[in-house]
Amino acid sequence: MRLSLLSYILFPVCVSGLLLTSAHAAQPTPSALEAGLEQFAQAKTRWYSNGHSDITRKSKQQKLYEDAEAARASGDAERAGKILATMAEGYWSAVGYLNLSGDYARNDLNPSRALVALRVALAMADKDTDAGRKSALRSRILLRAGYLAYTNSEYEKAIGFLEKIPLDSHRTPQALYFHGLVLAEEGNYRAAMQSWHRAKKYPLAYPGVADAWLGMARGYDLAGYLGQAGEAYLTANATYEGERATLRMLASQIEQQGAYKALVLDARDQSYGTAARGSSSNSGFGSPKVEWFLADSRTLAQPRVAYLLSFMEQPIAQQAVGRVAELAAMASQLERNAHDLGIFIAAMQDQLKSKDVDGEAAVQVDRLTTQNKRLQGRLNGLMDRLDTARLSPDQISQFRILKTTLSDAGQRLEKFQSRSVLRSDNLNQLLADARRLRKQSLQYLDSVKALRAQAETSLDRLALDFVATQDQKMVLALDKTEQRIAYLYEYLALKELDSGELER
């Protein structure tokens, strides 16, 4: 009877200890919280280490390219060519030969050597593994080759180069203008005007578009349609005036919203929106499915995209936009870190607010510990009388098992008490660390925002200077059209006078 009663008392003690331990084990352990906190601590340096390690590291080919550029800049084109000859096929060697062709074109009376360098550049560019970069570089090379062939009166060769430029290149408008010039030199004014008409569909921000408007009027003039020529000149004049109004509006938006928002982000949104609605394929001018002068690229037809691409042709603009973009990414990352740390802090505060529950658990543990000690004392007394009691070996074995069970339960209760104390201390330490990290993140965020404001101010100045330059180009184009209109009206007036005199 005493044995069964003792088992009835001991069983709840052991089960209660196990339940208490399991309940707290289900909550985040201090080690897990600390590991998460360490990740937040590393977040402030991870962006820089991951984002800039590849940028600062130069490849062997890039170093060779820079050596070739240094030789070319010093006037030693022969040495530059020898360095380029040792380079592997790819982007850097292609750019090197492209630059070398410019020196040949300036120094040689005959563009043959420059065209050979451009053909080599094309072959090098074809080995570039970056498809987008390769396409952009090929367009530059083909445009220059077409222009050189045109200036050397090799019209068929020029047309061959120009018609290989893909439609989705922002070099396409200028290629269309040159294409029209080549056809005009061959006397095919109708085909030339088709090329210029196609170029007119692009925004005036692209090189060659403003000239294409003048080319259309000039084509009518050369073809003998003087009335249509006059109308074309007046239309071009009105178009240039409208573009100046667009530029003034863009300058106003840059002053109000900043260049990064008004020029970069809005242009990107325009491009993505157009792509979502669907755009034409990447085929070149010579696509068998559609006549090359009727093909279209809706993304490039967006005026803001056109101005952004023209603006980004400047290396200093690329650096300025890249600086703002990097600081914006850093600010976004720091804001996320501060937000996540705020959630982390709230979770730990909730853990610490559960002290009342922990206090009740501690009272229960103390009560169980007292019961455990009392039962151990009673069991020890029984064990001392085992020698005089008439018990079977099985009963003696059960007493010994009970003694071991009570001892284990007591040890577990002691460990639970020590863990409860350490848990509260660890949570307080982790909470202090989390608050410190969040404060640092907010301080870094303030610094990044200040740097971004400075970078955006610098970008705004560059963008406004760019817009002013574009406006000046429109002013020059207006002067040309007004001069052409004046010459045309003067010619018509003189012709009218001559015809009147002949009638007399």
Side-chain angles (χ1 to χ4, degrees):
M1 180 67 181
R2 182 174 295 177
L3 181 61
S4 61
L5 180 63
L6 194 60
S7 300
Y8 178 79
I9 295 173
L10 281 174
F11 182 73
V13 173
C14 298
V15 173
S16 298
L18 290 172
L19 289 175
L20 285 170
T21 305
S22 300
H24 285 274
Q27 298 174 356
T29 62
S31 60
L33 294 174
E34 188 172 5
L37 202 57
E38 289 176 357
Q39 292 179 356
F40 283 113
Q42 296 169 1
K44 63 178 180 291
T45 58
R46 185 176 300 164
W47 182 92
Y48 186 85
S49 61
N50 290 346
H52 292 71
S53 59
D54 293 336
I55 296 176
T56 55
R57 190 185 306 117
K58 293 182 180 179
S59 66
K60 178 182 178 182
Q61 297 302 313
Q62 184 177 354
K63 292 178 181 177
L64 288 172
Y65 162 77
E66 291 176 352
D67 292 341
E69 281 297 288
R72 187 183 65 82
S74 65
D76 193 350
E78 183 178 356
R79 181 169 174 270
K82 290 180 179 179
I83 295 174
L84 293 173
T86 64
M87 294 176 62
E89 298 174 336
Y91 174 77
W92 291 110
S93 57
V95 175
Y97 278 109
L98 174 62
N99 294 340
L100 191 61
S101 71
D103 285 3
Y104 290 157
R106 282 189 295 270
N107 299 329
D108 298 351
L109 296 177
N110 188 300
S112 299
R113 194 163 60 148
L115 285 171
V116 170
L118 289 172
R119 290 188 182 277
V120 175
L122 277 175
M124 298 293 106
D126 286 338
K127 302 299 180 181
D128 189 7
T129 57
D130 188 326
R133 186 174 65 179
K134 177 173 70 174
S135 177
L137 182 57
R138 278 182 56 84
S139 297
R140 288 180 59 194
I141 297 170
L142 289 168
L143 182 65
R144 182 174 294 183
Y147 176 74
L148 287 176
Y150 161 70
T151 57
N152 199 40
S153 301
E154 299 180 55
Y155 301 132
E156 290 298 325
K157 188 181 293 184
I159 288 176
F161 284 128
L162 294 171
E163 291 187 355
K164 290 179 182 177
I165 296 177
L167 179 65
D168 58 358
S169 170
H170 67 285
R171 308 284 178 179
T172 301
Q174 194 170 15
L176 286 165
Y177 172 66
F178 288 154
H179 192 271
L181 288 180
V182 173
L183 293 171
E185 288 294 332
E186 292 181 331
N188 191 351
Y189 299 120
R190 184 181 183 85
M193 290 173 68
Q194 287 178 332
S195 296
W196 292 330
H197 178 73
R198 179 64 191 87
K200 282 170 50 182
K201 294 184 178 182
Y202 288 88
L204 284 163
Y206 293 121
V209 177
D211 294 324
W213 281 87
L214 286 174
M216 284 290 294
R218 181 61 176 162
Y220 283 124
D221 190 358
L222 293 173
Y225 301 104
L226 300 183
Q228 289 176 301
E231 291 179 1
Y233 281 128
L234 290 173
T235 303
N237 197 72
T239 302
Y240 298 151
E241 288 286 3
E243 190 67 14
R244 292 196 68 194
T246 300
L247 287 168
R248 286 193 293 270
M249 182 178 66
L250 179 58
S252 176
Q253 290 178 347
I254 290 173
E255 291 173 349
Q256 294 174 6
Q257 304 173 3
Y260 190 67
K261 170 66 171 64
L263 191 58
V264 179
L265 296 182
D266 287 355
R268 183 188 64 181
D269 293 342
Q270 266 190 351
S271 177
Y272 287 168
T274 303
R277 292 190 297 270
S279 60
S280 55
S281 65
N282 295 340
S283 60
F285 294 147
S287 171
K289 296 182 180 180
V290 62
E291 292 294 335
W292 65 269
F293 56 85
L294 297 177
D296 195 7
S297 177
R298 295 183 184 135
T299 300
L300 293 177
Q302 301 297 328
R304 199 149 308 209
V305 175
Y307 280 116
L308 175 62
L309 291 173
S310 299
F311 178 61
M312 295 297 285
E313 288 283 330
Q314 309 171 80
I316 189 172
Q318 296 175 21
Q319 295 173 2
V321 172
R323 189 182 305 117
V324 174
E326 290 175 2
L327 289 169
M330 288 180 68
S332 178
Q333 181 64 50
L334 288 168
E335 286 175 351
R336 286 196 298 270
N337 287 349
H339 177 265
D340 293 344
L341 281 167
I343 296 174
F344 196 68
I345 290 169
M348 285 188 289
Q349 286 175 337
D350 290 340
Q351 289 286 323
L352 289 171
K353 285 179 182 178
S354 63
K355 285 184 177 179
D356 294 338
V357 177
D358 292 343
E360 293 176 3
V363 171
Q364 187 178 1
V365 169
D366 290 339
R367 181 173 55 80
L368 292 174
T369 301
T370 303
Q371 291 180 1
N372 181 275
K373 290 179 179 179
R374 187 176 69 250
L375 290 173
Q376 283 189 20
R378 294 173 62 184
L379 184 59
N380 288 333
L382 291 173
M383 294 290 289
D384 292 338
R385 294 195 297 272
L386 284 179
D387 296 337
T388 58
R390 296 179 179 179
L391 298 174
S392 65
D394 290 339
Q395 291 175 329
I396 294 173
S397 176
Q398 288 183 11
F399 270 102
R400 290 174 179 168
I401 292 172
L402 285 173
K403 182 178 180 180
T404 303
T405 302
L406 281 173
S407 177
D408 292 342
Q411 291 176 1
R412 298 188 69 175
L413 287 170
E414 289 176 0
K415 289 180 180 179
F416 177 78
Q417 287 177 322
S418 61
R419 275 204 309 270
S420 296
V421 175
L422 290 174
R423 174 176 172 272
S424 180
D425 293 341
N426 287 338
L427 283 176
N428 283 319
Q429 181 61 44
L430 289 172
L431 180 60
D433 292 342
R435 285 171 172 165
R436 175 178 54 80
L437 284 172
R438 187 171 186 275
K439 183 180 179 180
Q440 287 181 353
S441 295
L442 293 174
Q443 289 174 346
Y444 292 144
L445 180 60
D446 291 339
S447 299
V448 168
K449 285 182 177 179
L451 291 172
R452 181 180 175 181
Q454 295 176 9
E456 287 184 338
T457 300
S458 176
L459 178 60
D460 292 348
R461 286 197 298 267
L462 288 173
L464 289 172
D465 290 343
F466 166 77
V467 171
T469 302
Q470 294 296 313
D471 183 70
Q472 187 61 34
K473 289 180 180 179
M474 291 299 103
V475 171
L476 294 175
L478 279 168
D479 289 343
K480 288 181 181 179
T481 55
E482 289 171 356
Q483 290 174 15
R484 292 287 185 181
I485 291 170
Y487 293 153
L488 181 61
Y489 286 169
E490 182 181 1
Y491 172 76
L492 291 173
L494 291 173
K495 186 176 180 181
E496 184 70 21
L497 287 174
D498 291 341
S499 63
E501 289 178 358
L502 289 174
E503 288 178 359
R504 292 178 185 175

